[in-house]
Amino acid sequence: MTHFDFVIAGGGLAGLSLASRLAETPAFDQHSILVVEQDAKARNDRTFSFWSNGPGPFDAAISRSWDRLRVAGPSGVQDLALGDYRYHTIRGLDFYRHAQQRLARHANVELRRGRVQRIDDGPDAATVVIDGEAITATWAFDSRPPRLADRTDDHRHTRLKLYFRGWEIETPTAAFDPGVATFMDFRAPQDGDVRFFYVLPFAPDRALVEYTLFTDQRLTREETEQAIVSYMQSTLGIDDFRVVAEEGGCLPITDASFARRLGQRVLAIGVNGGRIKPSTGYAFSRVQADSQAIVQSLLAHGHPFGLPAGPASYRWLDAVMLRVMRDHGELIAPAFAALFSRNPTARILRFLDEQASPLDVLAIMASLPAPLFVGTALELAAGRMGRETERGKEGKGGMRPRKLRPA
Ligand SMILES: Cc1cc2nc3c(=O)[nH]c(=O)nc-3n(C[C@H](O)[C@H](O)[C@H](O)COP(=O)(O)OP(=O)(O)OC[C@H]3O[C@@H](n4cnc5c(N)ncnc54)[C@H](O)[C@@H]3O)c2cc1C
């Protein structure tokens, strides 16, 4: 059987980020690395945005950066200076090509097109079955999409779907200010969910307009596309536009913990390893930090499992936020408006990065509607301690009281 030191299932964001980190670590020069990806990755299937206040490993692939962000809602529009931070965008296709080209420079790396059918754990090696061929790996990393369908612990945890639907559009005349990216614009019918748009203006006549929703409903493509048309026309006042590219997807979002260690030789990475922040849907920076932590663990311990768990307080805050989103989605827009008007943006970004000081956290908490979050936190705590609330009892069977939706 062919053997590799590292086999990575999936060559998307997490797989390619980890492969690059491993390949560029001199101590692993003589280690064989295989990345198995089922897709050609020849399409711009998503656009990665993230903020940072320092250099990152994929800066060379950044297509646009902004030093101002816009947050908008029914109560008004705020343009926010980012201080030391910049908001960056990398087109998915640029990321895949850039990472693949970097990996191609390393003789110890193989990028293989194929479908991983199974990963079987073992004491000394994992067996990875790719299109019927079994190979062994000292360490296997699994970024295939997670399967969460059979969870029945809704009274303890919240499960939502995160939809993305984006159109890159061109307009015949200038319609966008390329100096400011719209981070969140809640001026859209919320329908009991959390629904917002983000707009990445690449030029005065070109932007990516993306509809994003945290919901427990199932939406059709037509519904999401109709929402973009309405937003363009009624909020941005743009009637005349041409769609030049599109992207989209739906990810499971939950505060339930994801198993990282899938066996003695297998680690889950990316969305499959819970690297998406449940309350924001951002994963890019967390995936980079995780790749770095995996390499450090391999170097320090000889295994990839010595990963920081992250502060428990933030996991709890994510859980509360997700429950508020599920049960009181319509209150998120005013809460975000208050958050951004009462805090410097850099403090909010540090908080979302889970790097805020205790004083920062207190200031953030003080700017949110306390009764809503405290009430939800207590309800969640009661559910987790087994004292199921009425909602929890119904939630256990996968059902819960429907939110009131506009007729
Ligand atoms: C449209 C969209 C926009 C997003 N925008 C942002 C953003 O702006 N900022 C941000 O931080 N996050 C964003 N995200 C969230 C997150 O960063 C992405 O979903 C990211 O791609 C997750 O990385 P991943 O490696 O876990 O999954 P993926 O990038 O999806 O990679 C998994 C790979 O595994 C492959 N695969 C699956 N099954 C197999 C198999 N059996 N064998 C071989 N290969 C397999 C897939 O083809 C895929 O390439 C966005 C997500 C979407 C869908």
Side-chain angles (χ1 to χ4, degrees):
M1 241 191 271
T2 314
H3 180 82
F4 287 84
D5 294 299
F6 304 117
V7 172
I8 300 174
L13 173 64
L16 291 174
S17 298
L18 177 59
S20 302
R21 280 271 175 191
L22 289 168
E24 289 162 13
T25 300
F28 299 136
D29 268 356
Q30 303 302 314
H31 288 57
S32 50
I33 304 170
L34 174 67
V35 182
V36 189
E37 168 57 50
Q38 66 182 6
D39 195 66
K41 300 307 256 185
R43 234 169 34 83
N44 191 48
D45 58 357
R46 64 204 59 190
T47 303
F48 299 113
S49 296
F50 59 100
W51 55 86
S52 72
N53 59 355
F58 292 100
D59 285 358
I62 289 173
S63 58
R64 179 92 209 180
S65 301
W66 294 270
D67 61 6
R68 279 184 301 146
L69 285 180
R70 179 167 294 164
V71 174
S75 60
V77 176
Q78 305 176 56
D79 281 355
L80 310 155
L82 294 186
D84 290 347
Y85 284 86
R86 293 291 172 273
Y87 193 68
H88 305 291
T89 280
I90 301 181
R91 291 170 194 270
L93 187 56
D94 292 345
F95 174 83
Y96 306 136
R97 283 188 180 147
H98 173 85
Q100 288 163 357
Q101 282 163 11
R102 258 161 73 170
L103 290 169
R105 289 189 216 127
H106 297 268
N108 57 330
V109 179
E110 180 182 335
L111 299 174
R112 189 184 295 184
R113 179 93 181 265
R115 184 166 180 280
V116 173
Q117 292 165 306
R118 244 180 34 238
I119 301 179
D120 297 328
D121 191 35
D124 303 315
T127 303
V128 183
V129 182
I130 307 161
D131 296 324
E133 181 197 352
I135 60 164
T136 54
T138 310
W139 301 110
F141 301 96
D142 192 359
S143 76
R144 291 174 299 163
R147 291 204 188 88
L148 299 173
D150 53 354
R151 283 186 183 273
T152 54
D153 52 358
D154 279 5
H155 61 299
R156 289 166 169 268
H157 298 290
T158 309
R159 284 193 299 150
L160 293 175
K161 300 180 197 68
L162 170 59
Y163 282 91
F164 297 91
R165 173 68 51 204
W167 280 351
E168 189 168 335
I169 58 161
E170 268 181 8
T171 53
T173 53
F176 303 101
D177 174 359
V180 54
T182 300
F183 188 52
M184 291 174 149
D185 187 344
F186 289 98
R187 291 173 295 176
Q190 297 293 302
D191 199 13
D193 298 322
V194 177
R195 300 179 180 223
F196 60 90
F197 287 85
Y198 58 84
V199 181
L200 304 176
F202 301 123
D205 59 352
R206 194 178 178 108
L208 175 68
V209 178
E210 189 129 346
Y211 186 40
T212 311
L213 315 80
F214 289 85
T215 180
D216 55 4
Q217 305 184 61
R218 196 170 287 278
L219 274 102
T220 64
R221 187 183 178 121
E222 288 66 36
E223 284 172 297
T224 54
E225 291 182 345
Q226 187 48 51
I228 300 179
V229 173
S230 301
Y231 174 72
M232 297 281 298
Q233 292 174 338
S234 50
T235 306
L236 300 184
I238 302 171
D239 286 308
D240 191 4
F241 61 87
R242 191 167 72 88
V243 180
V244 292
E246 56 186 7
E247 64 177 50
C250 178
L251 300 173
I253 290 289
T254 178
D255 58 316
S257 54
F258 284 65
R260 294 299 315 264
R261 189 173 181 154
L262 303 178
Q264 296 174 82
R265 294 277 153 188
V266 190
L267 179 78
I269 59 170
V271 171
N272 190 31
R275 293 303 85 203
I276 201 159
K277 186 167 169 70
S279 57
T280 65
Y282 280 87
F284 188 88
S285 301
R286 288 162 65 99
V287 162
Q288 304 318 321
D290 194 50
S291 303
Q292 188 178 4
I294 291 169
V295 166
Q296 274 167 0
S297 173
L298 283 163
L299 292 173
H301 311 294
H303 65 69
F305 304 121
L307 303 175
S313 54
Y314 280 104
R315 289 209 299 281
W316 176 245
L317 290 169
D318 274 337
V320 173
M321 186 64 164
L322 215 56
R323 188 58 66 104
V324 172
M325 285 174 158
R326 189 191 80 174
D327 294 347
H328 309 282
E330 71 289 353
L331 300 178
I332 290 292
F336 268 85
L339 184 70
F340 279 96
S341 65
R342 294 178 194 165
N343 293 281
T345 312
R347 178 190 289 155
I348 299 171
L349 298 181
R350 280 197 300 277
F351 176 72
L352 296 178
D353 278 339
E354 305 186 354
Q355 284 167 3
S357 68
L359 275 179
D360 279 343
V361 176
L362 278 179
I364 297 262
M365 293 298 121
S367 59
L368 291 169
L372 172 65
F373 284 89
V374 172
T376 304
L378 291 175
E379 186 185 306
L380 198 58
R384 288 194 176 179
M385 284 187 294
R387 297 201 303 272
E388 293 168 20
T389 58
E390 284 308 304
R391 172 177 290 126
K393 280 178 194 158
E394 294 178 50
K396 202 172 180 184
M399 296 292 290
R400 62 185 183 82
R402 298 301 302 166
K403 288 169 289 197
L404 289 178
R405 298 185 193 286

